[in-house]
């Protein structure tokens, strides 16, 4: 739990009274803070935490125009912080709850052109330098994504994540949001972002100050435990240090947005530069926020264990329905786990090996105040149990083990720090997994060639080849030839309509392409197989070309 600074409660009174009461002691102590509370003046609500944080909210539209910490202005004074790029107009009101919690409520009308019928809350707790927030969305914003952007002053908060710091760039190299630098490196607001299940706090710092997003539990967001979205951006102008909470977006989104739900609570934590712990949100149970489900109205699921685990991989147990999503890491020894604080409802339970679903259980019911017990779940859908002649990589739902696979989340494929993409010729038994490309681009590194040996007995039999992918771009799918013999070309997989591996993610819809290869296509000794992307759509560039990220490639026994 976050406790207020010691002197925040001692000096919860106006400055002139404090000087009179404490005299010389005050002069030798840190500067006194103002009193907790809300004032209304000049079209703004000003909220003082009583511990050094003072914010201003515009009464006509809910913009946060000023965030001061110990007198230092953190917010860009040319751009307000807020939902989307501002709500345009809103009804804004102020209340005090319990004498120590200030609530600024912003509501849009049914005709608001930015986002209709949205309710957003700014909440400040006496003695705490956190701006707690929650957002109830019954419609998707016109910009197609739901986000809160804190627009900080870059010169006050210059120390943000390096992968998303666009300052000093030499121009955009893709669309208007991926940038190149004179040394050949690349940056973007899409790079360096954690998966949803790893989100805790993240932000930027300066001299004696820091602002961090505490992202909350993500139950109302979309995309599951491994979805990546924008978290920070040095905007390239030298003016803004942008710190985000993205609640949903179309950035390779794999499922529908959750609407008519409360996103949050989340918070923007203001510190002296140190990284804060995740704040305690439990006090918000009593605030009566629209769509809020208190802990007393929630339930939990206990899983006694998972049978059939591969101990080389982490396992995650996730729950999903149209109203909420949750996940919990499984015990690596036996798969047991317990998921807390779930909204009542009926869920699908998915077991992930790495990032690949290997088992699903339907109709898992959650009721308030009670535990639902799922006994040991037997994993039957792991494709790694198939006997193969050879396998490149493993079925884990990621391309991380392949060439440049660990760079997808942090840089553009053209970045000078990448190893040469190829085209690659991979010899089974000689080359290592890390020499096989993580991504197949029609416009850059195609074809990929695989050489492998077969005995006369093996060559006399038909075999099945499988290519697993984690996402695809531009309807790309693999066309395969074996010793010059073409196999039947597959149709495209179902994927989000978005850029993917150029904007920091390989996470789409996992798909497997299967090829039946007759014995007549094989030879005893060295065989040569090629993989080339096909698509009915034209390419925009070598990198924005038909392609996919690999999960696994194998030839079955």
């Amino acid at each position: 739990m976050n406790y207020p600074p010691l002197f925040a409660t001692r000096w919860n009174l106006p400055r002139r009274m404090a000087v009179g009461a404490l005299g010389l002691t005050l002069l030798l102590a840190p500067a006194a803070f103002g009193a907790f509370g809300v004032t209304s003046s000049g079209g703004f609500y000003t909220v003082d935490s009583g511990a050094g944080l003072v914010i201003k909210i515009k009464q006509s539209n809910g913009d946060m125009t000023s965030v001061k910490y110990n007198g230092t202005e953190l917010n860009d004074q040319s751009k307000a912080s807020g939902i989307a790029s501002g709500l345009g107009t809103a009804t804004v009101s102020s209340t005090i709850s319990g004498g120590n919690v200030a609530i600024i409520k912003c509501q849009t009308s049914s005709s608001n052109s930015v986002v209709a019928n949205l309710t957003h809350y700014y909440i400040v707790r006496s003695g705490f330098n956190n701006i707690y927030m929650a957002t109830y969305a019954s419609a998707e914003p016109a910009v197609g994504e739901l986000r809160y952007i804190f627009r900080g002053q870059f010169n006050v908060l210059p120390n943000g994540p390096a992968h998303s710091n666009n300052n000093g760039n030499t121009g955009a190299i893709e669309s208007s949001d991926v940038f190149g630098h004179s040394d050949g490196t690349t940056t973007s607001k899409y790079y360096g972002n954690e998966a949803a299940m790893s989100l805790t706090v993240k932000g930027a710092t300066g001299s004696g100050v820091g602002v961090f997003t505490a992202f909350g539990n993500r139950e109302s967001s979309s995309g599951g435990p491994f979805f990546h979205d924008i978290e920070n951006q040095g905007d390239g102008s030298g003016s803004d240090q942008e710190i985000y909470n993205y609640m949903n977006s179309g950035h390779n989104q794999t499922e529908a947005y959750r609407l008519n739900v409360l996103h949050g609570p989340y918070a923007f934590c203001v510190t002296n530069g140190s990284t804060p712990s995740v704040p305690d949100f439990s006090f918000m149970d009593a605030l009566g926020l629209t769509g809020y489900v208190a802990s007393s109205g929630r339930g939990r699921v206990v899983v006694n264990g998972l049978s059939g685990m591969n101990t080389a991989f982490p396992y995650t147990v996730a729950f999903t329905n149209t109203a909420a999503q949750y996940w919990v890491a499984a015990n690596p020894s036996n798969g047991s786990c317990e998921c807390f604080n779930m909204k009542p409802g009926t869920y699908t339970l998915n077991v992930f090996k790495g990032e690949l679903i290997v088992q699903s259980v339907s109709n898992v019911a959650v009721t308030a105040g009670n535990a639902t017990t799922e006994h040991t779940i037997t994993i039957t859908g792991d494709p790694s149990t198939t006997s193969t002649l050879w396998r490149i990589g493993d079925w884990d739902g990621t391309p991380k083990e392949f060439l440049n696979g660990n760079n997808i989340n942090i840089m553009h494929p053209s970045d000078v720090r990448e190893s040469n993409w190829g085209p690659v010729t991979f010899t089974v038994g000689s080359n290592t997994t890390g020499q096989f490309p993580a991504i197949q681009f029609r416009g850059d590194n195609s074809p990929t060639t695989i050489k492998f040996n077969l005995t006369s007995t093996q060559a006399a039999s038909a075999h099945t080849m499988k290519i697993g992918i984690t996402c695809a771009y531009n309807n790309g799918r693999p066309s395969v030839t074996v010793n010059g013999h073409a196999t039947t070309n597959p149709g495209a997989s179902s994927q989000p309509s978005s850029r993917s591996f150029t904007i920091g993610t390989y996470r789409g819809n996992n798909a497997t392409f299967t090829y039946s290869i007759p014995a007549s296509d094989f030879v005893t000794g060295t065989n040569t197989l090629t993989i080339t992307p096909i698509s009915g759509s034209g390419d925009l560039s070598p990198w924005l070309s038909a392609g996919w990220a690999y999960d696994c490639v194998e030839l079955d026994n």
Side-chain angles (χ1 to χ4, degrees), residues 390 392 425-435 451-453:
W390 49 260
I392 304 171
T425 296
F426 185 95
T427 301
V428 174
S430 297
N431 290 108
T432 63
T433 301
Q435 294 173 302
K451 291 184 177 292
F452 59 96
N453 289 323

Side-chain angles (χ1 to χ4, degrees), residues 247-415:
M247 291 162 269
N248 66 39
S249 78
H251 303 143
N252 230 42
Q253 184 60 253
T254 57
E255 64 178 339
Y257 301 141
R258 291 177 170 89
L259 297 174
N260 298 307
V261 291
L262 186 72
H263 291 263
Y266 55 100
F268 287 83
C269 306
V270 183
T271 77
N272 62 1
S274 60
T275 301
S277 301
V278 175
D280 177 16
F281 294 107
S282 63
F283 76 97
M284 298 174 75
D285 279 11
L287 300 184
L289 308 182
T290 300
Y292 192 94
V293 180
S295 55
S296 60
R298 294 172 176 264
R300 58 196 173 101
V301 175
V302 177
V303 176
N304 288 334
L306 303 174
S307 173
M309 294 170 62
N310 180 336
T311 56
F313 295 90
Y315 283 75
T316 302
V317 177
F319 302 85
T320 183
N321 64 19
T322 58
Q325 60 175 5
Y326 305 95
W327 43 77
V328 60
N331 185 311
S333 63
N334 62 8
S336 62
C337 57
E338 187 168 5
C339 191
F340 294 92
N341 295 320
M342 301 172 67
K343 291 181 181 179
T346 301
Y347 294 84
T348 296
L349 180 160
N350 290 316
V351 177
F352 289 85
K353 170 195 170 188
E355 299 182 20
L356 181 69
I357 295 175
V358 291
Q359 196 64 39
S360 293
V361 179
S362 301
N363 300 318
V364 177
V366 176
T367 57
N370 298 310
T372 298
T373 300
E374 290 291 325
H375 298 286
T376 299
I377 297 171
T378 300
I379 296 170
T380 60
D382 186 350
S384 295
T385 59
T386 300
S387 176
T388 66
L389 294 175
W390 49 260
R391 176 178 289 146
I392 304 171
D394 208 330
W395 297 95
D396 65 351
T398 85
K400 290 183 177 180
E401 67 266 42
F402 298 124
L403 178 70
N404 296 323
N406 281 318
N407 294 338
I408 294 173
N409 294 140
I410 61 174
M411 64 184 71
H412 192 268
S414 65
D415 195 293

Side-chain angles (χ1 to χ4, degrees), residues 37-48:
V38 181
T39 59
S40 175
S41 178
F44 293 88
Y45 288 117
T46 300
V47 187
D48 195 322

Side-chain angles (χ1 to χ4, degrees), residues 454-471:
L454 294 179
T455 67
S456 58
T457 301
Q458 292 167 336
S461 300
H463 297 282
T464 298
M465 181 184 178
K466 295 175 184 172
I467 299 176
I469 69 171
T470 68
C471 68

